[in-house]
């Protein structure tokens, strides 16, 4: 048991509802339960009870559930009080718990205790927040697989393979005169290549999960009156943006989130880029450039009747060189045979009509493909991942690459052993075996209170 103090929080969202839940966790809840409900309820049985305040007056009536340690979410005694979901009632019930000896829980503290008490590893704990924050059903399913341990098991298999290899290498260093299982050059190279391939496979799956979690930030840019707002409306299937024939109608960035094959896509329609003396329009263009700086993907919208113009090339020259760009030639409904003007430096073009919808489905598919999404059967094999997971897997891959370059040099076995150790440490940080306290504080501070 890591903590002995008692924590309490409202575990249901703010506002009014049919049911509200106050969750309590601590080393021993017998005394608190007696004060709140008048008795200690039987373990793991839903019991109808009155809820009392510090003066013994009835606050509410509802269901109480008691989970004694260690068979609970946190690994401690846990009490869940399910009452009527009005804000006033919930606050009275929480106040009664605080008066009975509990303190207000910090964000994510229940899940933090579950991690510290070995009920969840760190990757599983993070997936709890990912389930809550999931913006699509596919993201929720992927997060649930991570909570059930799919991602953690894949990482542990890698760590186990590395541990075995480290044992052989370090045994060869410590006991060079002994007959030890072969750790020769060919054997080392073969084992290393196999582990590197497995790390690459897990990284690829994790990158797909990161797309599901974070989504794709797409910014529509182009000259005024090329149909950016019309395309946004077509993508969202709603009249989100005002559309007129007057250039410069859009003065500010308009943000909408859509779902494509289960992936959240955050689309930003921006003010047209051009030379202007209009002060408001200048502010809009400044916000356009700010949105571009945060984008994962750019859609450069152009009028298909004109093809790519000098002004479009000027906009293209302003875009960051490291951002993927799709050239979208709009208004093909107005030109029977639009000029197919490709842009060699972009290499990806789609012809659409935002007015009729022609070509928009092709754009949706190309958008996901350019962002790196690979279709999966119901997301099988995808791990919900965060940036720190991707960094850890990438670092592990780099250490293994260094190790492979040393494996053919027997005199470098000590350096090889160190690269393997660093690779194992990077992988173990994903599940929390090697995690600094400040990292834990950063992770769990982003959880909601009561979870």
């Amino acid at each position: 048991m890591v903590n002995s103090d008692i924590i309490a929080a409202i575990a249901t969202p703010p506002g009014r509802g049919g049911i509200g839940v106050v969750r309590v966790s601590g080393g021993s809840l017998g005394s608190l339960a007696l004060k709140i409900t008048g008795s200690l309820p039987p373990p793991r049985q839903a019991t109808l009870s009155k809820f009392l305040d510090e003066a013994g007056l009835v606050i509410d009536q509802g269901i109480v559930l008691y989970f004694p340690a260690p068979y609970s979410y946190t690994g401690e005694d846990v009490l869940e009080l399910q009452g009527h979901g009005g804000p006033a009632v919930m606050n009275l019930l929480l106040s009664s718990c605080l008066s009975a000896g509990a303190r207000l829980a910090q964000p994510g503290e229940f899940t933090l205790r579950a991690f510290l008490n070995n009920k969840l590893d760190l990757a599983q704990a993070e997936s709890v927040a990912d389930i809550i924050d999931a913006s699509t059903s596919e993201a929720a399913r992927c997060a649930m697989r991570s909570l059930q341990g799919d991602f953690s098991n894949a990482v542990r298999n890698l760590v186990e393979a590395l541990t075995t290899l480290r044992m052989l290498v370090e045994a060869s260093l410590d006991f060079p005169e002994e007959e030890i299982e072969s750790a020769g050059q060919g054997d080392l190279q073969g084992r290393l290549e196999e582990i590197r391939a497995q790390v690459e496979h897990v990284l690829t799956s994790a990158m797909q999960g990161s797309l599901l979690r974070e989504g794709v930030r797409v910014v529509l840019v182009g000259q005024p009156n090329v149909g950016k707002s019309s395309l946004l409306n077509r993508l969202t299937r709603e009249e989100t943006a005002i559309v007129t024939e007057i250039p410069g109608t859009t003065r500010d960035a308009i943000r909408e989130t859509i779902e494509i094959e289960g992936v959240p896509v955050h689309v930003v329609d921006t003010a047209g880029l051009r030379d202007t003396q209009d002060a408001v329009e200048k502010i809009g263009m400044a916000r356009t450039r700010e949105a571009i700086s945060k984008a994962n993907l750019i859609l450069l919208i152009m009028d298909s009747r004109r093809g790519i113009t000098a002004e479009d090339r000027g906009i293209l020259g302003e875009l960051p060189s490291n951002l993927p760009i799709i050239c979208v030639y709009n208004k093909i409904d107005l030109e029977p045979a639009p000029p197919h003007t490709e842009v060699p430096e972009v290499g990806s073009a789609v012809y659409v009509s935002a007015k009729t919808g022609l070509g928009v489905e092709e754009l949706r598919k190309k958008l996901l493909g350019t962002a790196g999404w690979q279709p999966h059967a119901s997301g099988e094999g995808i791990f919900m991942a965060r940036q720190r997971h991707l960094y850890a897997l990438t670092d592990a891959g780099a250490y293994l690459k260094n190790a492979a370059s040393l494996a053919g040099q027997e005199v470098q076995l000590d350096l090889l052993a160190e690269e393997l150790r660093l690779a194992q440490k990077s992988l173990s940080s994903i599940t929390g075996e090697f995690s600094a306290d400040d990292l834990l504080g950063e992770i769990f501070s982003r959880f909601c209170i009561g979870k």
Side-chain angles (χ1 to χ4, degrees):
M1 194 76 64
V2 175
N3 295 291
S4 58
D5 58 334
I6 299 172
I7 57 174
I10 299 172
T12 40
R16 299 171 64 183
I19 297 173
V21 177
V22 171
R23 176 179 286 170
V24 187
S25 180
S28 178
L29 298 184
S31 174
L32 183 142
L34 188 62
K35 294 176 181 177
I36 301 297
T37 67
S39 64
L40 183 64
R44 292 175 295 280
Q45 291 185 22
T47 305
L48 180 64
S49 175
K50 294 178 181 178
F51 302 144
L52 311 175
D53 64 13
E54 56 270 26
L57 300 176
V58 177
I59 300 171
D60 194 12
Q61 180 173 278
I63 300 296
V64 58
L65 289 166
Y66 172 55
F67 303 93
Y71 305 108
S72 70
Y73 178 73
T74 62
E76 307 170 328
D77 283 0
V78 169
L79 198 67
E80 289 200 352
L81 307 167
Q82 302 180 8
H84 296 92
V89 174
M90 285 290 100
N91 286 325
L92 283 172
L93 186 52
L94 177 60
S95 296
S96 183
C97 292
L98 300 181
S99 298
R103 66 168 175 80
L104 188 63
Q106 298 297 314
E109 191 169 1
F110 290 94
T111 305
L112 174 60
R113 291 191 176 197
F115 166 69
L116 295 175
N117 289 322
N118 299 315
K119 303 297 287 187
L120 300 168
D121 66 35
L122 192 53
Q124 289 175 299
E126 289 170 304
S127 68
V128 173
D130 292 336
I131 290 174
I132 295 171
D133 294 336
S135 57
T136 69
S137 57
E138 195 60 54
R141 292 191 188 98
C142 184
M144 178 52 68
R145 282 192 291 273
S146 291
L147 178 59
Q148 291 174 331
D150 290 6
F151 185 28
S152 301
N153 290 336
V155 172
R156 288 194 187 97
N157 289 337
L158 291 172
V159 170
E160 184 178 344
L162 269 174
T163 301
T164 301
L165 189 55
R166 286 185 63 199
M167 177 187 68
L168 296 176
V169 172
E170 294 184 14
S172 296
L173 279 170
D174 294 338
F175 307 101
E177 71 284 355
E178 298 292 335
E179 294 274 340
I180 299 175
E181 181 182 345
S182 172
Q185 295 179 9
D187 190 32
L188 277 177
Q189 289 283 8
R191 287 171 181 262
L192 274 170
E193 288 305 316
E194 183 179 349
I195 296 173
R196 285 181 66 189
Q198 292 171 356
V199 169
E200 188 63 31
H201 175 72
V202 173
L203 176 58
T204 299
S205 298
M207 290 175 69
Q208 297 291 287
S210 180
L211 275 177
L212 277 178
R213 180 179 182 274
E214 303 289 345
V216 184
R217 294 185 298 277
V218 178
V219 176
L220 312 183
V221 300
Q223 297 183 66
N225 211 32
V226 292
K228 297 186 298 298
S229 297
S230 296
L231 184 58
L232 174 67
N233 290 344
R234 177 62 64 175
L235 288 171
T236 61
R237 297 187 175 94
E238 294 181 4
E239 294 299 317
T240 300
I242 298 173
V243 176
T244 74
E245 296 296 327
I246 303 171
T249 298
T250 301
R251 299 295 187 96
D252 200 356
I254 300 173
R255 294 169 172 81
E256 286 293 328
T257 296
I258 62 175
E259 179 180 338
I260 305 176
E261 295 184 18
V263 179
V265 179
H266 312 294
V267 186
V268 183
D269 177 26
T270 61
L273 295 173
R274 64 173 178 175
D275 292 329
T276 181
Q277 299 304 314
D278 188 304
V280 176
E281 198 170 352
K282 283 184 176 180
I283 294 172
M285 287 190 286
R287 293 183 178 179
T288 295
R289 294 183 174 90
E290 181 184 359
I292 290 171
S293 70
K294 299 176 182 178
N296 302 125
L297 175 64
I298 299 293
L299 300 186
L300 176 57
I301 318 299
M302 295 173 284
D303 190 324
S304 65
R305 296 169 296 177
R306 299 195 300 262
I308 184 165
T309 65
E311 290 79 4
D312 294 324
R313 290 192 180 278
I315 294 172
L316 190 60
E318 290 186 36
L319 300 177
S321 59
N322 61 331
L323 267 182
I325 301 169
I326 299 176
C327 288
V328 181
Y329 294 92
N330 189 27
K331 304 187 180 182
I332 61 174
D333 56 300
L334 301 179
E335 180 66 52
H340 285 239
T341 310
E342 304 298 336
V343 186
E345 58 267 40
V346 175
S348 184
V350 181
Y351 290 80
V352 305
S353 168
K355 183 176 181 180
T356 67
L358 185 63
V360 172
E361 283 308 309
E362 180 188 350
L363 174 60
R364 288 169 176 263
K365 292 177 182 178
K366 188 174 286 290
L367 189 155
L368 283 188
T370 304
W373 177 252
Q374 301 171 5
H376 293 74
S378 300
E380 290 298 329
I382 299 178
F383 306 126
M384 184 63 76
R386 300 182 172 212
Q387 282 300 316
R388 76 171 196 90
H389 303 151
L390 302 184
Y391 291 147
L393 287 164
T394 301
D395 288 347
Y399 292 131
L400 290 172
K401 182 179 179 181
N402 294 340
S405 68
L406 297 167
Q409 309 172 39
E410 290 189 19
V411 294
Q412 302 292 321
L413 277 179
D414 54 340
L415 298 179
L416 170 61
E418 176 64 9
E419 296 292 341
L420 294 178
R421 184 189 70 81
L422 291 172
Q424 181 178 337
K425 183 177 180 180
S426 291
L427 292 173
S428 295
S429 70
I430 293 174
T431 54
E433 289 184 45
F434 297 99
S435 295
D437 289 342
D438 56 349
L439 173 63
L440 296 180
E442 174 68 19
I443 289 171
F444 287 101
S445 68
R446 301 187 181 188
F447 279 52
C448 56
I449 293 176
K451 197 58 183 173

